[in-house]
Amino acid sequence: MSEVTVIGVDLAKSVFQVHGAAADGTVLFRKKLTRKQFPRFMAEHPKCVVAMEACGSAYFWAREMESFGHEAKLIAPQYVKPFVRRQKNDAADAEAIAEAAVRATTRFVPVKSQGQQARSALFRTRELIVNQRTQTVNAFRAHLAEFGVVVPKGVQNVKRLVSYIGEEGHGLPAEIVEIGQQLTTQIEQLTQRIKGLEKSILAAANASETTRRLRTIPGVGPITAVAIDSFAPEMASFANGRNFSAWLGLVPLQRSTGGKQILGRTSKMGQKDIRRLLIIGAMGRIGSKHRHPREVEPWLQDKLDRKPRMVAAIALANKMARQIWAMLTKGEDYRNPIAGVAA
């Protein structure tokens, strides 16, 4: 009887579809297991490759499979879809996962540790509460705008709204004043929660040598450093800095054909959180060039002279991503090129 070399698993909340195949692709078994049956079955099964689609619970099950002695491989869903034949169901998905896992050109997602997932949850929670505060501020502004009170966007302008409803003779209905007070209290509570989470993020950034090294780059703060440490795989998995930049979606989208190179806008095919934070950091560096003109690199100044600010910021974020790859693979801190030229 042929030996099972790869098992494709279609993960779910309660029922898992398992597909076992031999080295030549022969189907050896198809099983539907409950959440309790699945770990018992895999613990008793001989060691093999266990492939799953990368999703919310995949990292937990990948670590479980590795504890059983199996080799866990996670595949991005877009790389599994081409192997689904005709009708889509759990059995077809499990078979497609097993088939994609044995292809030599398939790219796999690194398995995250518990620490990485904990830091990513910390980051995501802060993002959630920041969005909730933004929604509350916008609701506050919108309610008062209906009564002719208009202030610019931004949480920093909430004080103007609070001072307005606190004044006498503003002519606002009592219901609007009460709503404004409730929204003000909610904004203050959310702000305090954000500050508490930022303290935890700063502590996580100070506890790691990787995040400390990342923070030596201008435009990379504790939040960006923790995001890179939490969401990015080992830099050694990328052949060069451009590959890491492409993984973030900071390289041009290619539509080349017939030997003619046709480049479009940035692909945005990658980790959006790190990409967004790097662009924000790049915009911050560009915004500070008026205060520190001598610290602007010549190539960046040339970009700003010829291109819009956002285009220059994306180019700078691309360069920052390549610098991050070089620093982490070589184990070096950031070296300011301007200081090197001045020396």
Side-chain angles (χ1 to χ4, degrees):
M1 183 177 179
S2 300
E3 181 181 357
V4 176
T5 59
V6 60
I7 296 178
V9 183
D10 183 49
L11 298 174
K13 292 181 180 178
S14 302
V15 180
F16 298 174
Q17 183 69 39
V18 180
H19 180 95
D24 59 356
T26 304
V27 179
L28 299 181
F29 63 80
R30 293 188 179 95
K31 293 181 180 292
K32 186 177 290 186
L33 304 173
T34 65
R35 190 177 185 87
K36 291 183 179 180
Q37 293 173 339
F38 176 65
R40 290 200 299 263
F41 174 81
M42 297 306 302
E44 297 171 357
H45 195 279
K47 297 179 182 180
C48 63
V49 174
V50 181
M52 297 166 281
E53 279 188 340
C55 62
S57 61
Y59 297 112
F60 166 77
W61 286 115
R63 291 193 297 267
E64 288 290 299
M65 296 302 104
E66 290 178 346
S67 68
F68 297 150
H70 299 295
E71 181 184 358
K73 291 187 176 183
L74 302 181
I75 310 174
Q78 61 266 30
Y79 295 149
V80 175
K81 187 176 180 180
F83 296 98
V84 178
R85 297 188 178 92
R86 297 175 71 88
Q87 304 297 329
K88 182 190 181 303
N89 51 58
D90 293 345
D93 289 345
E95 182 178 358
I97 293 170
E99 187 170 348
V102 298
R103 294 298 181 100
T105 56
T106 299
R107 298 175 182 176
F108 299 100
V109 179
V111 179
K112 290 184 180 180
S113 64
Q114 285 187 337
Q116 284 182 305
Q117 283 197 279
R119 290 190 295 272
S120 63
L122 182 65
F123 176 85
R124 296 286 191 206
T125 302
R126 178 190 173 276
E127 291 288 298
L128 173 64
I129 299 177
V130 168
N131 290 336
Q132 290 175 348
R133 186 180 65 176
T134 302
Q135 292 173 355
T136 308
V137 171
N138 289 340
F140 196 0
R141 292 177 56 250
H143 289 321
L144 291 188
E146 295 177 357
F147 292 89
V149 182
V150 179
V151 298
K153 295 180 180 179
V155 69
Q156 68 275 8
N157 294 308
V158 173
K159 294 181 180 179
R160 298 172 59 178
L161 297 175
V162 175
S163 62
Y164 186 86
I165 64 175
E167 296 175 355
E168 296 183 359
H170 48 57
L172 295 174
E175 294 84 354
I176 292 298
V177 174
E178 182 180 357
I179 289 173
Q181 293 173 347
Q182 292 180 2
L183 293 177
T184 300
T185 302
Q186 184 173 349
I187 292 170
E188 292 175 351
Q189 292 174 349
L190 292 173
T191 301
Q192 292 302 316
R193 293 172 63 186
I194 292 170
K195 290 181 179 179
L197 290 170
E198 288 178 348
K199 288 182 180 179
S200 300
I201 291 175
L202 180 60
N206 293 332
S208 171
E209 177 64 21
T210 299
T211 52
R212 185 207 62 78
R213 177 168 287 119
L214 289 171
R215 291 171 62 188
T216 62
I217 305 175
V220 175
I223 295 175
T224 305
V226 170
I228 295 171
D229 190 37
S230 303
F231 297 118
E234 292 290 334
M235 291 298 155
S237 61
F238 300 102
N240 49 51
R242 187 191 183 282
N243 286 0
F244 176 57
S245 182
W247 182 80
L248 294 175
L250 286 170
V251 298
L253 187 65
Q254 292 198 38
R255 294 187 176 89
S256 305
T257 182
K260 183 178 180 181
Q261 191 178 43
I262 304 175
L263 302 179
R265 298 185 177 184
T266 52
S267 66
K268 297 182 181 180
M269 297 179 181
Q271 220 294 325
K272 62 180 180 180
D273 299 294
I274 300 176
R275 179 176 67 245
R276 175 175 58 84
L277 290 171
L278 287 179
I279 293 175
I280 291 173
M283 288 293 289
R285 289 176 61 177
I286 291 174
S288 65
K289 74 180 185 66
H290 300 292
R291 299 189 299 271
H292 308 284
R294 295 183 179 180
E295 296 182 4
V296 180
E297 300 177 37
W299 77 269
L300 178 58
Q301 187 61 55
D302 179 65
K303 285 282 186 184
L304 291 170
D305 294 339
R306 297 184 297 106
K307 300 290 184 180
R309 283 167 58 92
M310 181 54 70
V311 175
I314 293 174
L316 179 56
N318 189 349
K319 185 173 183 178
M320 291 168 63
R322 298 176 186 230
Q323 290 171 339
I324 288 170
W325 176 87
M327 289 168 52
L328 295 185
T329 52
K330 297 178 181 179
E332 299 178 355
D333 289 352
Y334 176 78
R335 291 178 292 181
N336 192 338
I338 300 298
V341 173

